[in-house]
Amino acid sequence: MSWTLGIANRTTPHSTEDLDARTGRVLTKVVVCYGDSNTWGADPTGAGRFPADVRWTGVLQRELGSDYKIIEEGLNGRTTNIEDTIEEDRNGRRQLPPTLESHRPFDLIV
């Protein structure tokens, strides 16, 4: 995988459906959206979570179309780099490497 301006020029498919049968080129671009309650889709009224098509990741998927696969990797309560004393395992900096590894290969992380 090579990187240009932070975007990978991926040569390995995420799945076999991502390949052009004729040319063998990767068709689908995979975008991992890593974040907190906003990415998770928390409803600020306390009603839980917005429906998938209302969350920003769902809107992004709809706008980009079928040439893109959006992976929603949000966690309610995730922090940038702080250990939460109430909810454990919410430190985003510590979680990022294994999370990205679990979604390889991908083209972009947001």
Side-chain angles (χ1 to χ4, degrees):
M1 181 182 305
S2 62
W3 293 88
T4 306
L5 297 174
I7 299 173
N9 298 314
R10 185 167 50 95
T11 56
T12 306
H14 200 263
S15 67
T16 55
E17 297 87 35
D18 292 344
L19 284 177
D20 181 314
R22 188 175 55 82
T23 65
R25 293 187 61 199
V26 175
L27 295 175
T28 307
K29 298 291 186 187
V30 177
V31 179
V32 177
C33 298
Y34 183 78
D36 58 11
S37 57
N38 289 318
T39 304
W40 185 79
D43 184 336
T45 66
R49 212 171 173 188
F50 286 117
D53 63 330
V54 175
R55 299 192 286 263
W56 73 264
T57 50
V59 173
L60 180 64
Q61 178 68 71
R62 182 175 60 249
E63 292 296 316
L64 291 176
S66 61
D67 290 344
Y68 291 82
K69 177 179 182 178
I70 305 302
I71 298 176
E72 181 182 280
E73 187 56 64
L75 178 63
N76 203 12
R78 182 178 280 151
T79 64
T80 305
N81 63 352
I82 299 169
E83 295 298 333
D84 191 320
T85 58
I86 298 169
E87 292 185 273
E88 294 182 16
D89 299 322
R90 296 293 199 258
N91 183 323
R93 183 177 50 88
R94 282 198 1 233
Q95 293 175 347
L96 185 59
T99 300
L100 293 182
E101 191 62 36
S102 73
H103 292 298
R104 287 191 189 278
F106 56 87
D107 296 289
L108 179 67
I109 178 161
V110 179

